[in-house]
Structures are given as C-alpha cells and as structure tokens.
Amino acid sequence: MILADKLIRDHTLAGEEYAELLEAWEDREIRAKLSKEAVMLRKQYYGDKVFTRGLIEFTNYCKNNCYYCGIRCGNSNARRYRLSREEILDSCENGYGLGFRTFVLQGGEDPFYTDEILAELIREIKGRYSDCALTLSIGERSFESYRLFREAGADRYLLRHGTADETHYRKLHPENLSLANRKRCLYDLKALGYQVGAGFMVGSPGQTSRELAEDLQFLEALRPEMVGIGPFIPHHDTPFAEEKAGSVEQTLFLLSVIRILLPKVLLPATTALGTLDPQGREKGIMAGANVVMPNLSPVKNRKQYELYDNKICTGEEAAECRECLARRMESVGYRLVNERGDAAL
Ligand code: 5AD
Ligand code: FES
C-alpha cells in the first residue's frame, strides 16, 4: 500500500519500486485505490467526456513477422486485403456523418503504400475534413517519410513500442527488427511535432513485472500524448498460439498507473480489453481511460484484420458500434463526444 500512496503523491516511482508495485496487481484494495485516484485525475482534466476515434484498418499486408501478431507476413492463412482510396474516403465520410472528428489510418507495414500515395491521401482527407484530426498508425518509417506525412497534414501517430526491455523485445520479434529503431521512430515523431502514442501489450509471453516497470519508465521519459495498452491475446496461426492471454485485471491496474504517471494522457480502453471481457471497455474507462476506438472499416474486411483471436465488433456496421459504445459509456456515467479530442493543455 505504501508504494501506491507514494505513486499517488509523487506521480512517479523508481524502477525497482514500479516492479514491486506491479507485483501487487492482484490485490483488489490496491487496484481500487489506484483507480479511484486515476478517475479523479481524468475527471479533473476531461470531466465525463469520452473521446472517440474512427479506426480505418486499410491494409492487413505486413512485411514484418512479429511472433504475436495474426497478420505477420509468415501467416499464409491470412486473407490479405487493401482498401481502395475510394473505400478509405467513404469510410471517412460515413464516420464524419456519425460524429467522428478523428480518423485513424491503421495498417500493417505495407510497402505498397509509398510515401507519395500516403501523402496524397492525407492531403485529401485533411482537405475535406479540416475540423478533424488525422492519426497515422502504419509502423516504422524514416524521419523523411514522417516529415512528409506531417507536412501533408497528419496530426498524430500511434506506434506502440511493444516492450522497452531489450531481452523481452528479442523474444517477441524476429532478428531484423530492433527496439532501438522503434524508439528512434518515436523520438523522430515527437521532434516533428506529432502528438505521439506509445504503448505495449500486457501479459505477452515471458513478461514479468520487471519488463513492465521498464515500460513505465520509458513512458515517463518519452512523455507521449497517448498510450495504447491492451492484454496479449493468442492468435491461432502464430508461434504464440498456445500461450496464455494477458489479464484484464492487470491491464486495468496498468491503465490506472499510467493515468497517474501522465495525468493528461489520452488513454484508450482498447478492443483487446473488450475482447477478453464483455465489459472490458467499460472497466477500462472506470480505471482511468478516456478514449474508445470503434472500427470504421467496411464490414466485408473487418474479420480479416485479425491480430488476435475472437476480436469483437467485426460484424457490426460503424453506426451500430458507435451507438453501442455510446450506450456502454452512458451505463457507467460517461458520454461519448463528437470532438477532435486533443490532449488537455
Ligand atoms: N494480442 C494483443 N495485441 C496485439 N497486437 C498485435 N498482436 C496482438 C495480440 N496477439 C497489438 C500490439 C501491436 C499492435 C499493432 O497491436 O501491441 O503493437
Ligand atoms: Fe462494436 Fe459494441 S462497440 S458492437
């Protein structure tokens, strides 16, 4: 309990202290104490608002082969797709009509989308919807590419660091990927003036409190505007098919800790959390999260963007998902708002 109090007082802990605090995630009382503080902080900056992002999963081609991910290039069972320019723009139009004021273009690392194609798409979307924020989530690229996208009008960039621990990173990724480059990307994006989102999976195979402590310290150093975390969920066509999923409670615990570390952070209650627990997203909001990210992609492709098994909302139209989420948020005393949802000043 002492460490939880210290975190609440100082908004930071030393590395060993994080690890020790994280060992206590199964303790209900500590979870309750942290989530109470987290909710107090999110209310202070965001009231009862929940921001929403329209997610457009525009390609499931990926040149990488991360061991946890269902759309890894080595998965020959994945049915690959790319949305056309028109389908992407239609998704935005549909989303705008539903009240979305942030669009997230998310995809695997797909070389088909050259810098030029993407920059043109960004310009087109920002030209049509100048009152909306545009977020990219398309993986590792060069400083020069990031600069081009920024100049074309992109406002935000999501790039989960995955894990900040070198040894653990090697257990999750093949040789050709490096944590150093991942971190380089995040710092480049910051330098270019993007609002940046980092993050990690909770309960990835072999992860301990020590690795999670490093993730928290990395977040403290980077100070991202957004943090995406969700439980690891095995995918049947990956090397981690037989590994066990992360824990909902541990994810909730971490959401509260992150809210206390970075009080103004934009923190989604993720789809992975909603997949492991039917009330997962509501619980995420009640643990300190303040963002939800429903899917705007065409229903015909939804199931194909399968990073993990049993992903929810793959049969739903965008309008149904939005209404469903609005009801869910209201059921726990919050409201979904039609705003860009930038971080509080
Ligand atoms: N379970 C949970 N999250 C996953 N991601 C990828 N695969 C899985 C999985 N099996 C998340 C990772 C990655 C992002 C693209 O999606 O955090 O960074
Ligand atoms: Fe998609 Fe409930 S949020 S159906």
Side-chain angles (χ1 to χ4, degrees), residues 79 81 83 87 91 94 295-305 313-321:
R79 281 191 301 129
Y81 74 93
L83 298 187
E87 285 176 310
S91 301
N94 183 13
N295 203 315
L296 274 185
S297 318
V299 175
K300 69 171 173 53
N301 300 110
R302 291 262 180 108
K303 247 204 97 47
Q304 288 163 271
Y305 202 84
C313 297
T314 54
E316 255 53 52
E317 291 290 345
E320 296 172 296
C321 261

Side-chain angles (χ1 to χ4, degrees), residues 168 171-172 203-209 211 240 243:
H168 190 50
K171 292 183 187 146
L172 305 182
S204 53
Q207 187 185 54
T208 67
S209 304
E211 280 86 39
F240 289 165
E243 300 288 343

Side-chain angles (χ1 to χ4, degrees), residues 105-291:
L105 290 180
Q106 186 162 86
E109 291 195 11
D110 181 355
F112 172 88
Y113 294 93
T114 59
D115 288 356
E116 291 67 37
I117 295 179
L118 286 166
E120 199 280 324
L121 189 61
I122 294 163
R123 272 192 297 273
E124 183 68 34
I125 294 174
K126 287 294 286 190
R128 291 189 189 194
Y129 307 103
S130 57
D131 56 336
C132 293
L134 183 56
T135 306
L136 301 179
S137 179
I138 53 175
E140 298 179 17
R141 298 232 174 187
S142 66
F143 181 88
E144 206 35 48
S145 304
Y146 289 152
R147 195 176 62 76
L148 240 133
F149 302 152
R150 180 85 185 110
E151 279 171 5
D155 303 283
R156 307 186 185 134
Y157 205 105
L158 304 177
L159 185 71
R160 292 187 178 183
H161 61 280
T163 170
D165 179 81
E166 191 64 57
T167 311
H168 190 50
Y169 186 91
R170 290 268 62 95
K171 292 183 187 146
L172 305 182
H173 304 93
E175 266 315 304
N176 67 325
L177 294 174
S178 86
L179 178 56
N181 194 53
R182 197 95 187 155
K183 290 185 175 173
R184 188 273 303 161
C185 288
L186 284 162
Y187 281 103
D188 280 357
L189 291 162
K190 271 224 130 180
L192 286 162
Y194 284 94
Q195 297 171 40
V196 170
F200 52 90
M201 290 187 296
V202 179
S204 53
Q207 187 185 54
T208 67
S209 304
R210 240 182 27 81
E211 280 86 39
L212 287 168
E214 283 194 62
D215 289 322
L216 296 177
Q217 290 193 295
F218 176 67
L219 292 180
E220 275 194 289
L222 179 70
R223 306 207 78 75
E225 284 77 16
M226 307 169 279
V227 174
I229 68 164
F232 161 73
I233 304 174
H235 183 286
H236 61 278
D237 279 325
T238 63
F240 289 165
E242 305 301 330
E243 300 288 343
K244 75 179 208 323
S247 140
V248 171
E249 282 70 33
Q250 192 180 21
T251 306
L252 297 173
F253 183 100
L254 279 156
L255 284 171
S256 299
V257 170
I258 292 166
R259 169 65 61 202
I260 296 168
L261 284 186
L262 304 168
K264 297 179 183 176
V265 77
L266 296 162
L267 192 61
T270 53
T271 305
L273 196 55
T275 296
L276 274 196
D277 180 333
Q279 301 287 309
R281 288 166 299 177
E282 291 90 321
K283 289 179 184 173
I285 297 295
M286 290 189 288
N290 65 333
V291 174

